[in-house]
Structures are given as C-alpha cells and as structure tokens.
Amino acid sequence: MRDQDERAEVRMQGGTDFAAAGGAGRLVAVVVTYDRLGPLKVTLARLLEAEAAHLAAVVVIDNASGDGTADWLDGQDDPRLFVHRCETNLGGAGGFARGMRLAVEECDADVLVVMDDDARPVPGALAAFHAAPRAPDRAVAAAVRYPGGGICEMNRPGLNPFARPSVFLGALAGLFRGRARAAWHVPDADFEGTAPREIDMGSFVGLFVPREAIARCGYPDPGLFLYGDDVIYSLGLRRAGIAIDFDPALHFEHDCETYAAGQGTRTQGPLWKLYYLQRNRLIMYRRAAGPLFWLFGPLLALAWGGRARGPGARRVWARAALDGLARRTDRPHDEILRLARAP
C-alpha cells in the first residue's frame, strides 16, 4: 500500500494532474490474459493510444501464460503499463480480483474499466466516457460488439427478473415460445439508441467500476475461477445499492466470434470446466433470486445432473451441485482438476 506522498506522485504520473483534469477522474484499465499474446498486443496498443488524461494506467494480469507473454511484456517500456505475473493460473475471476485491487491500491484509480485480453475500447471510447457526467456511485457498462459490428451475445447486459416483476412475467411468457432470455436481456434497439438505461447484470468487458462501488461491495470472488463471475459481481453491486447504467455511446469490441460460434455446438467441455459452469450458475441464480432460489434451485441442479453423461461427469456434477447450493468457492483449482481426472 502506498503512503500519501507516493499516492500523490502516482496521481501526477506523466505530468497529468488527474484531480484537476476533470472528467471522471483517474481511469485505470485492468486486462487479464492467459496464453493469448496476439490479441493482447492489439488490446494494449489500443489502450495506450488513449491520452494520459483519459487513461492513467493499464494493469495487466498475466495468468502464468506459457506462450511468450511474459517475455514480451518484460520488453514493454510504457510508463503507464503495470504488469503482474501470477505464479499459477488464477482464472478470470482471480485475475480480475487481483487486477482491480492493484488498480486501486497501487495505481490510485478513481474508476476502473475491465476487459479480457481479446477485448478493447474502440478509438475515442475512453474520451467519450470522460465527456459525459459520471456519478461516483454508478457503474457503467459499454455496448460490446464483434469487430464485424454484430452485438456480442456473451457480453449483452441484462435485468434481474427476480427484482423486476414485469421482466419476470415476460420471462415466464417467453418460456412457452423459447424466448425467455430475450425478456431479461437488453434488446437490440437499445444498442442503437443514445440514452443510457439502468441494468442489473453486466460483463467484465467494458465495465466501468467507480472506486466508491468497490469501497461498498469489495472485489470479485477469486474462488469463482471462471464462468459467471462478472454477473455475480454486478448483481452484488446492485444489492449494495450501486446502480449500473448501460451506455450505448460507449463502444467496445470483443474479437471472439470464432469462440462464440463454437459454444453453440459444444454440449460439454472438459470436466473441470463443467464443475465451474454448474457450480457458478447455482451461485448466480441464488444471488439473483434471493430466498426464491430454494423454490427452483435444487430442481435445476437435478435437471442439469440428468444431462451428465458418464460416471466422471456425474461425479463432477454432484460436487458442483453440492458446492453451488452451499455457495462454496474455496475449493482449490488443483482439487477440481484431480476430481475431473479421477478414474
């Protein structure tokens, strides 16, 4: 933790007095990377194109990459770049938790903006963030599209149907038409608009989190490892009284179309990923539904278990279901790998 003199020096880094620069204050980007050096190079180049008054620093969390990322980052000399290499892969959740903490404690951020290594703001997006009034107790979610212009579904913001009766009724009606998801996700028309709207769930691509929100809600749970950590965290922000605005004027791109297309045909990935997917879904639904979760959560876990194929998958599902219902996130990743590999 820096003392007051060091923190003052950090705020003046590069000759920019962020306290007097106006806008939203000192903005720090957090990027988590793992074995994707090519996209990371593009993302860092885009971020560091921004003026220092619009982006004070970039924190890169290298999740023990083995593709030459560490050597390449060692060769970078931009003074705004802060690199932290993890000894082991902490997953996306662990990476964002550590990166956000470093951004606050070491880079003295007033606002954080988080993203994957293959996601980045379009030119001018950070300037647009500073150009509009930003309240210190409101987070902001950007409009995320593929490089080709289509809306990135994995980053589409949503509403909590359990906190909004009209959305809940719409989701129930949509069940009979196979369109329940559309009832609680931001529609395409809102991406084309200009006015922000309040949401309950955002993603860790283009999510701007003010320091006040972190003071009240803390950091993401690193034990989630991957899958749903961003939705769980944003629901936690809302529960702590932090509003989240979807601002269609803030544009990000996510270069993941090939990955997203593959998700449409993949029914079951590696067993260790199945554990996190099932466990974190239960935790996510419980955070969204509150006490109502117990009306459907255990039945949902059983339904997922019915689709598990083979003794290995059923073993992993059973552990995921028990841990999810108990909201247990302290099981070490190595233990999950051993569970998935067990004969």
Side-chain angles (χ1 to χ4, degrees), residues 190-271:
D190 285 1
F191 279 77
E192 306 300 332
T194 58
R197 63 164 295 176
E198 192 169 279
I199 60 170
D200 302 314
M201 295 177 285
S203 77
F204 281 162
V205 171
L207 183 66
F208 294 78
V209 184
R211 190 175 185 134
E212 171 65 21
I214 293 172
R216 288 162 60 176
C217 192
Y219 298 98
D221 181 354
L224 292 169
F225 199 79
L226 82 166
Y227 295 137
D229 49 313
D230 44 9
V231 173
I232 293 169
Y233 185 70
S234 52
L235 286 170
L237 291 176
R238 296 293 292 118
R239 189 164 63 177
I242 300 295
I244 309 174
D245 290 327
F246 167 65
D247 189 342
L250 299 179
H251 298 153
F252 270 62
E253 65 180 26
H254 196 175
D255 192 6
C256 63
E257 279 182 288
T258 302
Y259 171 82
Q263 295 302 291
T265 58
R266 182 176 62 83
T267 57
Q268 183 171 295
L271 289 183

Side-chain angles (χ1 to χ4, degrees), residues 28 38-39 53 79 115-116 152 156 169 190 197 201 254 257 269 285 304 307:
V28 176
M115 66 204 74
D116 293 331
C152 188
R156 188 187 288 263
L169 293 175
D190 285 1
R197 63 164 295 176
M201 295 177 285
H254 196 175
E257 279 182 288
Y285 282 127
W304 292 338
R307 295 197 292 269

Side-chain angles (χ1 to χ4, degrees), residues 117-135:
D117 50 12
D118 58 352
R120 55 202 68 101
V122 304
L126 301 185
F129 174 76
H130 286 279
R134 306 293 178 186

Side-chain angles (χ1 to χ4, degrees), residues 152-208:
C152 188
E153 290 299 329
M154 72 169 64
N155 304 126
R156 188 187 288 263
L159 304 171
N160 183 0
F162 299 100
R164 301 174 184 266
S166 61
V167 176
F168 182 80
L169 293 175
L172 282 180
L175 282 174
F176 300 100
R177 304 191 304 272
R179 292 180 51 82
R181 185 178 187 274
W184 49 274
H185 277 83
V186 169
D188 291 2
D190 285 1
F191 279 77
E192 306 300 332
T194 58
R197 63 164 295 176
E198 192 169 279
I199 60 170
D200 302 314
M201 295 177 285
S203 77
F204 281 162
V205 171
L207 183 66
F208 294 78

